[in-house]
Amino acid sequence: MTHKKAVFYTSLAASLLLISIGVLAPKQLERFSNSSLNFIYNYLGWFILGSVFVFFAFCMYIGLSKFGHIRLGDDNDRPEYKTATWIGMLFSASIGISLVFWGVAEPVSYYIDPPFGKGSSEESAKLAMQFVYLHWGVSAWACYALVGVSLAFFQFRKKLPSSLSSVFYPLIGDKIKGSAGKAIDVMVILSIVIGIATSLGFGTLQVNSGMSFLWGIPVNISTQALIIIAVTLIYIGSTVSGLQGAMKHLSNLNMLLAFALLGFVLFLGPTQAIFKIFFQGIGDYAQNFIGMSFRTEPYSDGSWIASWTLFYFGWWIAWAPLVGSFVARISKGRTIKEFMMGAVFIPVIGSFFWFAVMGGSAIHLIQNMGEKALAAAVSTDVTSALFQFFEYFPMSAFLSVLAMVLVLIFFITSANSAVFVLGMISENGNPNPAHRTKIVWGVVIAAISVVLIMTGGLQGLQSALVATAVPLAVLMLVMCYSTYKGLQDEWLQLSRQESEEQMAARARAEKQAR
């Protein structure tokens, strides 16, 4: 792979192969996906869980150790964004569409069917929030922070190209410009394509479910394909038309709408219960973090862990290259300690509060208010969970439409960034990739999303995510070592520089004394 467009052509060929198999042999692809998923769950689940914990431990180590004082840029660089703005951008980096989709469905699902113990009970209500916080907590953001800090260090401090292959410079040197580096970039591109296509799939299923719930529009492949086509035209159009400023304002508007929705439920819902759930969940999560992080259920079939924990951890790993690249771009000038404290912990608090408001309110309605119909609706169809939940509030139709708008805009803004990153990596770190490259990737993402829905709906999306997580986890473990090596070399260089400056200062002082 020595051609300057080898990364683009290779990754495009692999993506087109997946699309072709899905169109020509959907049943075979579905069977292969399911068997691959079962293999990973049965034989490699421990590896995914262990890898994510290593990522968290590594992030904490470099943030709190001597390396924490190293700046992501030159020594005289300072952050480009104010801390409040930076935190807001971190929070909206990737999780908006997922929070809307799973805000009610996931906690209620755990309440009905907990990882252990009796379902639909006070104990399962506590376990529901505890495991939601595990899946959306520091483990998830450690995956993003690892990629983000590694790329930012080598890009801004060591002045290497803005491609993830640059992170491996301490191990392979200038080979990052050859076949080895291009192979890494191809793997990264495929993970981004499948990750963003999967999110489009989840969003499409939820929007279709909401349209059916409100207006009786049928839930089928045809409707879902039309939704994907419409969304794709919007995000491709915004990418190539120079409307990046408009997209930024649209993203900010969407965050305001999300907070408005959150505030509506918070103040018209069980406010006191929500705050109790929020703090209770944080306490249970902190107390049981280690045990939950390594829970593999070796004495049972492990189906709950496979369906939920491994799915989520695979999702975060698959999204890490995209979100990590975004986080790196906005973090120039910050110290590693600042970066880790902000990127790992602060967005987590926002996610926890969202689930306490949405999922906690739903569980309160079921457990304390006796609204068993909501539990039945969620267990029947998770894609309609949010809309069923809104039926217990005034202006439910308006809230449902607002939720669908949130899902669509969250995806459009995420996909807009994704096709830009894909174009940049495809063109060897070109900060201004050609429109043609971005259009190609936009169409490919849409096509793969349709294929994934055709070959198993949620199960097909789940399989695709977890399958990409295994090779990426290996890559990210190597990334930990490479980043450590680069930081160690940088620290030694800074120490020598400091010693030389001290010696020079002493020499000047002695000269003046004479």
Side-chain angles (χ1 to χ4, degrees):
M1 288 198 295
T2 57
H3 192 277
K4 65 179 182 178
K5 289 191 175 182
V7 171
F8 173 71
Y9 289 133
T10 304
S11 51
L12 179 60
S15 301
L16 293 177
L17 178 62
L18 175 61
I19 296 170
S20 300
I21 295 173
V23 172
L24 300 176
K27 294 298 182 182
Q28 289 82 349
L29 180 60
E30 182 178 359
R31 284 196 296 269
F32 176 77
S33 297
N34 291 336
S35 61
S36 300
L37 193 64
N38 290 332
F39 177 82
I40 293 170
Y41 286 163
N42 292 330
Y43 298 102
L44 295 174
W46 60 269
F47 174 72
I48 293 178
L49 295 179
S51 297
V52 171
F53 189 83
V54 168
F55 303 152
F56 172 69
F58 178 79
C59 288
M60 292 301 94
Y61 169 70
I62 65 172
L64 299 175
S65 68
K66 60 187 179 182
F67 302 132
H69 300 291
I70 296 176
R71 197 168 290 278
L72 300 174
D74 296 331
D75 289 333
N76 57 355
D77 283 340
R78 291 297 178 267
E80 296 181 274
Y81 300 97
K82 294 180 180 179
T83 300
T85 303
W86 180 65
I87 290 171
M89 296 172 77
L90 285 174
F91 183 78
S92 61
S94 69
I95 58 176
I97 188 172
S98 306
L99 287 176
V100 177
F101 185 95
W102 291 110
V104 170
E106 186 178 348
V108 174
S109 296
Y110 299 174
Y111 166 77
I112 298 169
D113 180 25
F116 54 88
K118 181 183 177 182
S120 300
S121 64
E122 181 181 348
E123 183 62 26
S124 71
K126 294 179 182 178
L127 285 173
M129 300 310 299
Q130 183 176 314
F131 275 85
V132 164
Y133 286 3
L134 171 70
H135 298 156
W136 296 79
V138 296
S139 302
W141 279 91
C143 297
Y144 301 159
L146 168 62
V147 175
V149 75
S150 300
L151 183 57
F153 172 74
F154 287 102
Q155 179 181 351
F156 300 131
R157 184 83 184 185
K158 309 307 289 184
K159 312 304 181 187
L160 292 172
S162 56
S163 175
L164 279 179
S165 56
S166 298
V167 174
F168 300 90
Y169 185 85
L171 302 181
I172 61 177
D174 288 334
K175 291 182 180 179
I176 62 170
K177 302 174 183 178
S179 297
K182 294 183 187 304
I184 292 170
D185 288 337
V186 168
M187 184 186 301
V188 168
I189 285 176
L190 293 177
S191 75
I192 292 175
V193 167
I194 294 178
I196 199 73
T198 304
S199 283
L200 175 56
F202 276 123
T204 299
L205 292 175
Q206 188 173 39
V207 170
N208 193 181
S209 180
M211 294 168 69
S212 175
F213 185 80
L214 291 174
W215 305 306
I217 296 175
V219 177
N220 53 38
I221 293 294
S222 299
T223 303
Q224 291 156 6
L226 289 174
I227 294 172
I228 290 174
I229 291 171
V231 173
T232 302
L233 290 174
I234 294 173
Y235 74 71
I236 289 179
S238 67
T239 301
V240 303
S241 64
L243 297 178
Q244 298 301 316
M247 291 305 296
K248 180 180 178 180
H249 294 308
L250 188 62
S251 179
N252 292 336
L253 173 62
N254 210 40
M255 289 302 297
L256 290 175
L257 293 177
F259 284 121
L261 181 62
L262 192 73
F264 189 94
V265 177
L266 173 64
F267 292 111
L268 293 184
T271 307
Q272 293 299 321
I274 287 171
F275 283 106
K276 290 179 181 179
I277 291 166
F278 176 62
F279 286 103
Q280 174 79 41
I282 291 177
D284 291 339
Y285 167 67
Q287 182 179 0
N288 298 284
F289 174 69
I290 300 295
M292 291 190 297
S293 296
F294 289 102
R295 185 179 177 83
T296 57
E297 296 185 348
Y299 308 113
S300 65
D301 63 1
S303 58
W304 196 96
I305 295 296
S307 299
W308 290 109
T309 303
L310 291 180
F311 159 62
Y312 271 115
F313 283 13
W315 192 344
W316 307 135
I317 292 172
W319 267 80
L322 173 59
V323 181
S325 298
F326 171 79
V327 172
R329 286 206 312 273
I330 65 174
S331 300
K332 181 180 180 182
R334 296 192 178 273
T335 65
I336 290 178
K337 182 178 181 179
E338 281 182 282
F339 178 93
M340 287 303 171
M341 294 303 102
V344 174
F345 291 104
I346 294 178
V348 167
I349 299 300
S351 300
F352 286 0
F353 193 65
W354 178 277
F355 277 106
V357 173
M358 297 297 178
S361 296
I363 293 176
H364 172 80
L365 285 171
I366 301 167
Q367 175 68 19
N368 297 336
M369 306 299 291
E371 300 291 349
K372 305 299 182 184
L374 178 58
V378 173
S379 62
T380 301
D381 180 16
V382 295
T383 64
S384 66
L386 186 64
F387 309 113
Q388 297 283 355
F389 170 67
F390 286 148
E391 286 294 296
Y392 295 89
F393 291 83
M395 298 187 295
S396 58
F398 170 76
L399 293 176
S400 296
V401 172
L402 177 59
M404 287 190 286
V405 171
L406 284 172
V407 169
L408 291 172
I409 300 180
F410 268 132
F411 178 75
I412 290 169
T413 52
S414 296
N416 188 270
S417 298
V419 294
F420 181 84
V421 172
L422 288 168
M424 185 175 65
I425 300 174
S426 299
E427 298 183 4
N428 303 312
N430 179 11
N432 297 297
H435 289 328
R436 181 176 61 182
T437 305
K438 293 185 286 188
I439 291 172
V440 168
W441 285 123
V443 174
V444 166
I445 288 170
I448 290 180
S449 185
V450 172
V451 166
L452 292 175
I453 292 176
M454 289 172 57
T455 57
L458 283 172
Q459 182 68 25
L461 301 176
Q462 195 169 339
S463 303
L465 272 175
V466 179
T468 61
V470 174
L472 266 179
V474 175
L475 190 72
M476 289 167 67
L477 287 171
V478 179
M479 185 183 297
C480 289
Y481 175 67
S482 183
T483 302
Y484 172 79
K485 198 170 183 301
L487 289 172
Q488 185 66 30
D489 292 342
E490 182 70 15
W491 179 259
L492 292 174
Q493 182 178 333
L494 289 173
S495 298
R496 286 195 297 268
Q497 181 179 341
E498 184 178 354
S499 298
E500 291 172 357
E501 290 175 354
Q502 291 174 351
M503 291 175 62
R506 282 198 299 269
R508 287 194 300 268
E510 291 173 358
K511 184 177 180 181
Q512 289 175 356
R514 288 197 298 266

